[in-house]
Amino acid sequence: MKKLAAALALTLAAACASTPMNSSSTKDASGTPFGTSGIATRSIDAPNYILFSSPNAIRSVDFSSTGVYGLNLKGTITNKGFVPAGKIEGRGSFCADGKDWLSLSDLSIHKSSDGKSPEGSYVLGCASASGFQPASRDAVVAQ
């Protein structure tokens, strides 16, 4: 019995030593890995967000604070742009006639009068002097 216990302990020690550690940048607030791609799939795990009152910057989520105020979209910044993790959250007004769009790849706002069609991931809404007002809580995510 002692030999079996010693062999089991040795096996567990070897297995733990050979298991790679995950980087803290690929974990959510609770320390759980996001997944194999490192992209958050739930807004509660997302390390970044876009605030629609000033959508030209991607901000880091402060997990020690109570939350983000105003309409925002949480997600992960990648080399292909911002990847949303869920729906638009927060309080604020939505525009009724959402024909403009915010590109999530480069955070540029495009007016419908420009004649361009959205490419990649984007949010439909209305461009305004005070930022961008989404038309709904949905973001269109390109695969």
Side-chain angles (χ1 to χ4, degrees):
M1 187 64 152
K2 287 183 182 181
K3 287 184 181 181
L4 179 61
L8 181 60
L10 183 60
T11 303
L12 285 174
C16 290
S18 65
T19 303
M21 297 296 290
N22 287 321
S23 166
S24 63
S25 65
T26 60
K27 294 182 180 180
D28 65 17
S30 67
T32 305
F34 291 144
T36 57
S37 65
I39 297 174
T41 56
R42 302 179 315 162
S43 68
I44 194 168
D45 299 331
N48 307 110
Y49 70 96
I50 296 170
L51 190 61
F52 287 102
S53 59
S54 57
N56 57 345
I58 295 176
R59 296 162 168 76
S60 295
V61 173
D62 179 2
F63 290 107
S64 66
S65 76
T66 57
V68 178
Y69 297 100
L71 289 173
N72 67 85
L73 181 60
K74 293 186 178 109
T76 306
I77 186 67
T78 70
N79 60 354
K80 293 182 180 180
F82 186 81
V83 178
K87 294 185 176 278
I88 294 170
E89 300 175 348
R91 292 185 177 179
S93 300
F94 292 92
C95 72
D97 189 29
K99 293 183 180 178
D100 301 330
W101 51 282
L102 170 69
S103 169
L104 296 179
S105 63
D106 63 2
L107 302 182
S108 60
I109 296 174
H110 302 271
K111 295 203 173 245
S112 61
S113 59
D114 294 344
K116 295 182 180 180
S117 296
E119 294 179 14
S121 298
Y122 62 93
V123 175
L124 282 176
C126 300
S128 69
S130 62
F132 185 82
Q133 195 174 28
S136 73
R137 293 203 179 269
D138 297 318
V140 177
V141 180
Q143 296 298 331

